[in-house]
Amino acid sequence: MGARGAPSRRRQAGRRLRYLPTGSFPFLLLLLLLCIQLGGGQKKKENLLAEKVEQLMEWSSRRSIFRMNGDKFRKFIKAPPRNYSMIVMFTALQPQRQCSVCRQANEEYQILANSWRYSSAFCNKLFFSMVDYDEGSDVFQQLNMNSAPTFMHFPPKGRPKRADTFDLQRIGFAAEQLAKWIADRTDVHIRVFRPPNYSGTIALALLVSLVGGLLYLRRNNLEFIYNKTGWAMVSLCIVFAMTSGQMWNHIRGPPYAHKNPHNGQVSYIHGSSQAQFVAESHIILVLNAAITMGMVLLNEAATSKGDVGKRRM
């Protein structure tokens, strides 16, 4: 019974093959070729991504910040595929550019990159690079960028958003502030390690030695310690420093002034009410000191018994 049924099943299969539409074979062949092509394209993307990451890791092993020109910028930052975040500092470090702020920002950027490079959490998900105007002016033109320094974050997918540009004018360029911004954009937390700086300790030691030596030399006559005018001058200096924004400068680390790279115009007053330049705080300090001196002179003129003409002046 089973032997007789086998020919019957073969005849039925033959009928099904005869009634299969002839146009379906090219369609199946096209579908197969498409699947093979997609698989090959995906493999090519994976290989290209692996090569890019390997190259970036090699550069990072030699230095924490690698410089980029226009070709490297387009290949490693703009062109897909990319599964890593890239922090880029756009700057102008050449001496002829006379950008003192760029040099100061570069020092903080170097501290931040070194802290990430030598930390235990270092991985291939975040890299630090730099584009100098004299090496990649085409990149500045491509991004419509007309000021330096500027810090930008390029995410693994999609285009940078507004928050991916660091607000340098409002926050300053201290390494700690940059690390906080990077943590907000990438969820990568960097603990900043600054190289030891003994200048403050040496200055304090010299000051203590100077004061101690002065007290020792004047040990038989210490009436100057009770001089009210001297203490008043010291108090005024502290008040002038604090009211002019010197503490804000110390915390935020703003630039001394801003020079427009197009027309060379230097701005000493910041355009925003939420930020300031160092020069601006110096101007405020001088104005406060002038007003205070005027009030002191008016008080002296009213209470003294000198010449009337001098008192009026």
Side-chain angles (χ1 to χ4, degrees):
M1 187 72 179
R4 288 196 211 97
S8 177
R9 287 195 296 272
R10 285 195 294 270
R11 286 194 297 269
Q12 292 176 359
R15 294 193 194 98
R16 286 198 296 269
L17 288 174
R18 282 198 302 271
Y19 289 110
L20 189 65
T22 58
S24 61
F25 288 104
F27 174 76
L28 293 175
L29 182 60
L30 180 62
L31 183 61
L32 179 61
L33 292 175
L34 183 61
C35 293
I36 295 175
Q37 185 177 3
L38 289 176
Q42 183 65 25
K43 186 67 175 178
K44 185 178 179 180
K45 286 184 178 180
E46 293 177 357
N47 293 336
L48 179 59
L49 178 60
E51 291 177 1
K52 292 170 68 174
V53 173
E54 182 181 0
Q55 181 65 70
L56 291 174
M57 291 296 291
E58 180 183 351
W59 288 342
S60 297
S61 64
R62 288 183 285 182
R63 56 179 58 190
S64 55
I65 301 174
F66 39 86
R67 306 173 76 97
M68 287 193 168
N69 53 22
D71 294 335
K72 291 181 180 179
F73 179 83
R74 285 182 284 272
K75 178 180 178 181
F76 291 95
I77 298 180
K78 298 294 290 184
R82 194 174 69 247
N83 64 349
Y84 49 84
S85 293
M86 182 72 72
I87 306 299
V88 184
M89 175 184 178
F90 298 92
T91 184
L93 295 175
Q94 296 300 321
Q96 65 268 20
R97 300 298 175 185
Q98 299 181 354
C99 182
S100 59
V101 181
C102 296
R103 291 190 291 270
Q104 298 171 12
N106 181 56
E107 293 176 359
E108 294 293 316
Y109 191 51
Q110 191 72 49
I111 292 174
L112 176 64
N114 288 336
S115 300
W116 168 244
R117 173 64 185 86
Y118 298 106
S119 69
S120 58
F122 176 74
C123 62
N124 58 3
K125 298 300 180 183
L126 178 65
F127 297 99
F128 291 85
S129 62
M130 176 190 302
V131 177
D132 193 284
Y133 180 80
D134 293 283
E135 299 173 359
S137 58
D138 53 336
V139 178
F140 279 74
Q141 296 174 1
Q142 181 181 352
L143 299 176
N144 294 324
M145 192 172 297
N146 54 13
S147 63
T150 300
F151 297 94
M152 286 189 65
H153 164 243
F154 292 87
K157 296 181 180 179
R159 296 182 177 180
K161 300 179 181 178
R162 183 177 181 180
D164 288 314
T165 300
F166 182 67
D167 193 350
L168 180 71
Q169 303 296 340
R170 186 176 64 88
I171 304 177
F173 48 75
E176 290 78 8
Q177 298 297 331
L178 287 169
K180 183 179 179 181
W181 168 67
I182 292 174
D184 293 338
R185 304 310 305 163
T186 66
D187 292 331
V188 175
H189 297 271
I190 304 175
R191 184 180 178 184
V192 177
F193 294 95
R194 290 185 175 274
N197 186 1
Y198 302 104
S199 59
T201 305
I202 294 174
L204 180 60
L206 290 175
L207 179 62
V208 172
S209 302
L210 181 62
V211 173
L214 182 62
L215 292 176
Y216 178 77
L217 294 175
R218 299 290 300 273
R219 61 185 182 277
N220 297 325
N221 184 12
L222 299 178
E223 294 180 0
F224 69 94
I225 296 179
Y226 305 99
N227 190 324
K228 295 182 180 180
T229 303
W231 286 112
M233 295 296 294
V234 172
S235 300
L236 283 175
C237 290
I238 297 175
V239 170
F240 291 153
M242 294 302 173
T243 55
S244 63
Q246 295 297 329
M247 185 58 66
W248 191 93
N249 294 339
H250 179 73
I251 296 173
R252 301 288 188 176
Y256 187 84
H258 175 70
K259 183 177 181 180
N260 192 315
H262 292 290
N263 53 24
Q265 183 179 1
V266 180
S267 300
Y268 298 99
I269 306 296
H270 200 283
S272 172
S273 61
Q274 298 179 345
Q276 68 177 15
F277 297 131
V278 176
E280 188 174 349
S281 63
H282 292 169
I283 295 173
I284 297 299
L285 188 148
V286 172
L287 291 176
N288 288 343
I291 294 172
T292 304
M293 182 62 67
M295 294 298 297
V296 171
L297 293 177
L298 285 175
N299 181 68
E300 290 292 330
T303 57
S304 64
K305 298 180 180 180
D307 183 60
V308 179
K310 292 183 178 180
R311 291 170 61 188
R312 287 178 179 177
M313 289 177 60

